[in-house]
Every structure is written in structure tokens, then in C-alpha cells.
Amino acid sequence: MTAKEERNRLFLTNLFCGEFRGHAVICVPPLVSSVQAGDYAVSKEPVKKWVSWAVRNYELMREWHEALDDDSVPYVPMTTTTGLFAAAFGCPLHQFEGSQAAARPIVFSPQEADRLPIPDLDTPPISRFFELAELVREQVGPEVPISVPDIQSPFDIAALIWSKEHFYEALVEHPDAVLRLVEKCYILLKNFLTEFKRRLVEVNMCHYPFAWAPPEAGCWLSEDEAGCISSRMFEKFCLPFLVDLSETFGGLFVHCCAYADHQYSNFLKIPNLRGLNRDLKATDVKLTIDTFSGRTVLMVVGATEAQIYALLEMAQPNTRFLFNISASNIDEAKRALERIKERCGRV
């Protein structure tokens, strides 16, 4: 590990779990997407075909890390379709042209949900993920962090497995059946994350946005269906599982791109909520800053420089931001990074 990487690990650890030393800025290189490479979770071809894809994206991260004075920690991004865990339950994955594959539902009734067994970790495509990760580990060595695939919450996985129109009816008419399915998804996810840490050792638990955090700080997941349910339903169907995951893994980082500001009181009930990523187009930004300043790190993706500066103007003394910024090349990234770090007071 280089001195710069060690410095950045310490900085990010403090950002999420310790003393605040400034807002973080991470420049994300133009990575080769799994869609362009042909998603390994969907394909039936041997996974060794995707080793070069994963290694190349790690090399891009390292090149940008070495060229820039940002807060990045290079790792192997293993992002794949949102349907990875739903597929383990038997959902077919349909590859749409030019976009990520999507899981198609296989449950249309409470009886079908109850008949689903909890998949083993040797069930494709989970087994394919581990096989590819271990092949990549052989290439990059033992010290390089390997990231999780896309991680949906237990509730969101259940919402992929069960057809949406029937799923939302069941929340009212068959809530116990929904809870039983969500619990199965939770058990699979918990088993996966435990095995992921055990098997790959040097890991990055982040699936989105692009960042690194110490594995002991917790797991990361998306809770996007939160926008479609009431706060009371969230408290019943989502919160107990999120609390348990946070307590099991040492914390929780949540991505939510839905119109879900009404869930903020529930988000605050999650112990050790280390980070929150909200879609700027789907939230009252000032409300988000006012609610979570001093409580968690606000992770921002896709903001223009002008939007970043506006967020900094709204920040409170105890607000902590992590900004993902993108650029088409390293020179462009250097210029943007210099301007943004100056506005953050870190020059």
C-alpha cells in the first residue's frame, strides 16, 4: 500500500467514523461498464472472460488515483445487475440493449412466495460472482480491495421477485407472506456478505456511489422502494432488517434515489447510519442537509460544480459531504478537483 493510499484510507475512515477533517472529493474515471463488457451475471459463458474487464477498471482507478490529489482508494469495482440476488431465487434476467439486465418476477401469489427456498451461495449467479472475484484476486494480489456486486435491500429484492402489482396489494392483504419473503431475502443477503468478507478478506463493502470505507464500518445497500410505501409500512417491512444488518456489520450506508423524504424519521432509527446518498432530483436538498448534518455523511453523485457549490453554501458547521465527480480525462479532472477542493477549504 502506498503512503498516499494509506493517507486516503485514514481520511475516509475519519469522515465516516471519526474526526471530521474536511469534505471528501473522489474523481471517478470513465470505467468500462458491465453492459459494454457483457454482464457476467447474465451470460452463460465461463466467467474467466470477464477477468480482464474487472482488472482494467481497477487499473483505471489506480491510474487516476496516482495522477490526482483526490480522496480515492483504488479497488476492483464488481458492479453488476440489480437482479443478482433475485436471480438466485430463480428470477430470469433479461438483458435490455444498452442497459443493465433486469430481473423478471416469478412470484404472483402468497403461496408461490412461501414455496421459495432460501438459495445456497453456490447458486448462480452468486456462485459466478465468487468465481470471478477469486480469479480477479489472483491477478491483482491480496492487498487490493474487491467490491461487492450491486446490493439491494431485502425489501427491494423481494419487490423484484414478486410482481409489483401483486406485491403492493400483498403489503395490505397478505403482510405476513411479504414479511416471510423479505426475511428470506435478508437471510440470503446476510449469508452472502458474511461469506464475501470471509472469502475475499480485503474487501470494499461499497456498491454505490464510488468510494471506499473500512469494512468494519458496515455494509452498503439500495433502499429505492422506500418511496412507494408509507412510513408505517417502512417501519414494518424494512426497518427491522436494516437495523439488524447495521448491528451485524458495524453500520449501514444507504442509497435511495426515490422520492422518499417522508422516510427520514425512519432512516434516523438505523444505528450507525454511516452514509446516505440521495438523488438530488428526488429530494428537498435543504431538508436533507438539515436532517442529517451531524448524523451521517451525505454522499453526492452526479452534481454539477454549480450544484456542489450551492450544497456547500447550505452546509451547516457539522455537515459532512462526500462528492463523486466525473471527467472525461485526467487533465479535466485535475482542474475540476482543484476548484472544488478550494471551495471545500482543503487547498
Side-chain angles (χ1 to χ4, degrees):
M1 185 189 306
T2 66
K4 182 177 178 181
E5 185 176 350
E6 188 173 2
R7 178 202 71 181
N8 287 2
R9 287 187 180 218
L10 178 60
F11 179 84
L12 291 172
T13 298
N14 278 311
L15 179 73
F16 291 125
C17 309
E19 179 185 357
F20 180 57
R21 298 180 178 179
H23 305 299
V25 187
I26 294 175
C27 298
V28 182
L31 300 175
V32 181
S33 75
S34 59
V35 174
Q36 291 171 282
D39 200 309
Y40 64 87
V42 176
S43 177
K44 302 298 183 184
E45 296 185 66
V47 295
K48 64 181 181 181
K49 174 181 176 179
W50 283 270
V51 172
S52 60
W53 158 74
V55 172
R56 178 53 185 151
N57 278 338
Y58 163 67
E59 291 171 344
L60 282 168
M61 280 198 164
R62 179 154 293 282
E63 287 170 15
W64 282 50
H65 165 79
E66 292 174 352
L68 301 169
D69 189 25
D70 71 345
D71 301 303
S72 63
V73 172
Y75 64 90
V76 181
M78 296 282 286
T79 303
T80 186
T81 171
T82 58
L84 186 79
F85 295 97
F89 278 93
C91 292
L93 292 173
H94 180 74
Q95 181 74 68
F96 293 93
E97 185 176 352
S99 67
Q100 291 281 5
R104 289 183 165 169
I106 56 170
V107 165
F108 300 87
S109 70
Q111 294 76 22
E112 290 174 324
D114 282 338
R115 284 197 293 267
L116 281 182
I118 300 170
D120 295 325
L121 296 181
D122 57 3
T123 301
I126 293 176
S127 60
R128 289 177 62 84
F129 170 84
F130 279 122
E131 183 183 357
L132 177 58
E134 288 172 344
L135 290 172
V136 170
R137 169 64 74 223
E138 293 175 5
Q139 293 291 312
V140 300
E143 293 187 353
V144 175
I146 293 178
S147 82
V148 290
D150 188 280
I151 302 289
Q152 300 293 302
S153 74
F155 186 80
D156 281 24
I157 297 169
L160 292 172
I161 296 169
W162 199 326
S163 67
K164 285 290 178 67
E165 63 271 31
H166 298 99
F167 182 72
Y168 280 101
E169 287 180 355
L171 291 176
V172 176
E173 297 180 359
H174 304 283
D176 291 343
V178 173
L179 274 173
R180 287 193 292 270
L181 179 59
V182 175
E183 184 174 14
K184 291 176 184 178
C185 298
Y186 150 79
I187 292 171
L188 173 61
L189 181 56
K190 189 173 181 178
N191 289 344
F192 170 84
L193 291 172
T194 300
E195 179 66 6
F196 172 75
K197 293 182 71 175
R198 186 198 69 80
R199 191 181 300 192
L200 296 172
V201 185
E202 187 63 48
V203 298
N204 184 15
M205 301 291 276
C206 167
H207 86 95
Y208 189 82
F210 289 94
W212 173 91
E216 61 272 16
C219 58
W220 303 53
L221 52 76
S222 292
E223 188 65 88
D224 294 327
E225 297 292 330
C228 300
I229 58 177
S230 69
S231 57
R232 180 180 292 180
M233 285 183 170
F234 186 96
E235 197 167 18
K236 179 182 181 69
F237 296 106
C238 304
L239 188 59
F241 304 102
L242 299 181
V243 168
D244 186 83
L245 286 169
S246 183
E247 290 176 343
T248 298
F249 294 102
L252 197 69
F253 299 76
V254 175
H255 159 76
C256 179
C257 58
Y259 290 92
D261 290 0
H262 63 290
Q263 302 294 4
Y264 281 2
S265 62
N266 279 321
F267 286 173
L268 290 172
K269 295 173 185 175
I270 300 170
N272 294 320
L273 181 65
R274 307 288 190 188
L276 178 66
N277 170 230
R278 297 286 282 119
D279 188 326
L280 296 178
K281 299 186 293 296
T283 186
D284 179 331
V285 174
K286 187 176 186 307
L287 174 66
T288 301
I289 292 173
D290 291 347
T291 302
F292 292 100
S293 290
R295 299 171 184 261
T296 193
V297 177
L298 295 173
M299 305 179 292
V300 180
V301 181
T304 64
E305 278 193 53
Q307 288 174 318
I308 289 174
Y309 301 153
L311 291 170
L312 290 170
E313 287 294 323
M314 286 187 276
Q316 298 181 6
N318 59 350
T319 303
R320 300 187 183 199
F321 285 121
L322 182 149
F323 298 111
N324 268 185
I325 66 171
S326 58
S328 58
N329 56 65
I330 287 176
D331 287 339
E332 180 184 322
K334 282 182 179 178
R335 293 190 293 270
L337 178 62
E338 184 177 356
R339 293 190 298 265
I340 293 169
K341 285 186 71 173
E342 182 176 6
R343 292 294 287 267
C344 288
R346 291 190 56 207
V347 174

